[in-house]
Structure formats: structure tokens, C-alpha cells
Amino acid sequence: VEDEAHIIELARLYFEREGFRVSAVGDGEAALEAARRENPALLVLDVMLPKLDGFEVCKRVRAKSDVPIIMLTARDDDLDKIIGLELGADDYLTKPFNPRELVARVKAILRRSERAAPRADNAALHLNDVTIDPAAREVLVRGKRVTLRTKEFDLLLTLAENKGLVLTREKLLELVWGFDYVGQTRTIDVHVAHVRKALAGSQVTIET
């Protein structure tokens, strides 16, 4: 979703070389319609768009779908990135970006989505008053189901499976998002904050 035609064509060239099918639209309203119609495997979403901006598109898409979202921001501004992550984006790139890096990020997120299948034994994890069910991808706190987004569930499951171990932000990005991340790791802080909120009142804590 990008209103600059030359960026769309450049990205399309690199994606199609790697075997991806690309559907491109140029404004926020068209993005919502395309997301409903096409059911994409992943969404690359610019922040600055006509009609509806990328933040609003991300918010509306995320309310109905767990489709992975990579946001593009024209400014190297932490605020834009944090807002996007708070709204449920999985990753972000700052313009101008290397199209090879964009393709690599997409591949990494899709690989992680494929690996997010339930564990072979399908056994639920019980930590005090919290139950994590990988097969149903459900979390119960004191018997009550709590809502977590895809990456939030994956993050909690990864932490639970490594209970008692110290995992760096970089390691969590590798395990949960499926790629080696260079630069700021604010995305981890944002997702941990959401998981902590979901676990509020339980006997389980995430320690930093």
C-alpha cells in the first residue's frame, strides 16, 4: 500500500523475482477493500497515504485480522515506529529503504508465521494460574481467556518455554520474529508491555 508509483514498481520487481504475487493499491480506503478481498499473506503499508493514513489502516485491519504488517515510515522518527507497533504492526522500515532488505524482512516474518504452528505434542503449558495452549493458541488467566495478537502469543509461548532463562531482546527477535535485527529493539518492549497487561492480576510475571 503505497501512493508513490515508482516505489510500488521497484518493490514489485524485487518481490516477483522471489516468486511472490503482488497486489498494489495507492490509498488507505483501497487498502482496506483489498485486504478484505485478497486475503493477503502479508501487508506492506506506508504511513503517509491519501484518504486514510497507514496508522488507521493498520488499526482497522488488525481489529479483524492477524495478517502480518510491515509499515513504511518516511521519517526516522521513533514516535512513528512506536505508534505503528502499538497498533499491531509486526515490523517497520524507514524510507528510503533497500528493496532487498524489505524482501528479506517479508521472508523472515512469513517463515516465523509458518513455524508458529502448534508444538508436536500439543501439550498445554501451566504456569501458576496461567495456561498457554499452543494447539488452540489460547491463553487462560485464572480460567478466563485473554486476547493476544499473533506475535504477542508467540512471545509469551517462547518466554514460557524458556522459563527461568534470560533472553536478550535480540534473541527474542530471532526466536519470535525469525530474523536477526540490527538497530533498535523497541518492538520487543512494546509487545512485552501488551503481554504484561494481558497477564495483569495473574501470578505470572515477565521480569526485565
Side-chain angles (χ1 to χ4, degrees), residues 131-152:
T131 299
I132 305 167
D133 186 342
R137 294 186 68 77
E138 286 187 348
V139 177
L140 303 177
V141 175
R142 299 191 306 275
K144 183 178 180 181
R145 186 175 184 273
V146 297
T147 301
L148 291 177
R149 299 183 179 117
T150 300
K151 284 294 180 289
E152 293 165 2

Side-chain angles (χ1 to χ4, degrees), residues 144-202:
K144 183 178 180 181
R145 186 175 184 273
V146 297
T147 301
L148 291 177
R149 299 183 179 117
T150 300
K151 284 294 180 289
E152 293 165 2
F153 179 89
D154 293 340
L155 175 61
L156 177 58
L157 179 59
T158 298
L159 290 169
E161 290 176 334
N162 292 275
K163 180 184 176 184
L165 300 180
V166 177
L167 301 176
T168 64
R169 288 172 172 81
E170 290 77 13
K171 187 63 177 177
L172 285 169
L173 280 163
E174 178 188 336
L175 292 172
V176 178
W177 277 259
F179 60 86
D180 295 328
Y181 186 84
V182 178
Q184 298 190 36
T185 52
R186 175 66 179 171
T187 183
I188 288 291
D189 297 346
V190 170
H191 283 75
V192 167
H194 287 172
V195 174
R196 280 189 171 129
K197 185 176 181 181
L199 298 180
S202 76

Side-chain angles (χ1 to χ4, degrees), residues 17-48:
R17 279 180 183 172
E18 297 295 325
F20 288 97
R21 287 182 292 116
V22 177
S23 177
V25 294
D27 67 71
E29 290 182 356
L32 292 175
E33 174 57 31
R36 285 191 294 266
R37 183 181 66 249
E38 310 254 0
N39 190 27
L42 182 142
L43 199 60
V44 179
L45 177 63
D46 190 23
V47 170
M48 300 298 292

Side-chain angles (χ1 to χ4, degrees), residues 91-105:
D91 197 6
Y92 56 80
L93 277 180
T94 302
K95 291 181 177 179
F97 59 86
N98 183 328
R100 290 188 182 90
E101 182 178 4
L102 176 59
V103 172
R105 296 284 186 97

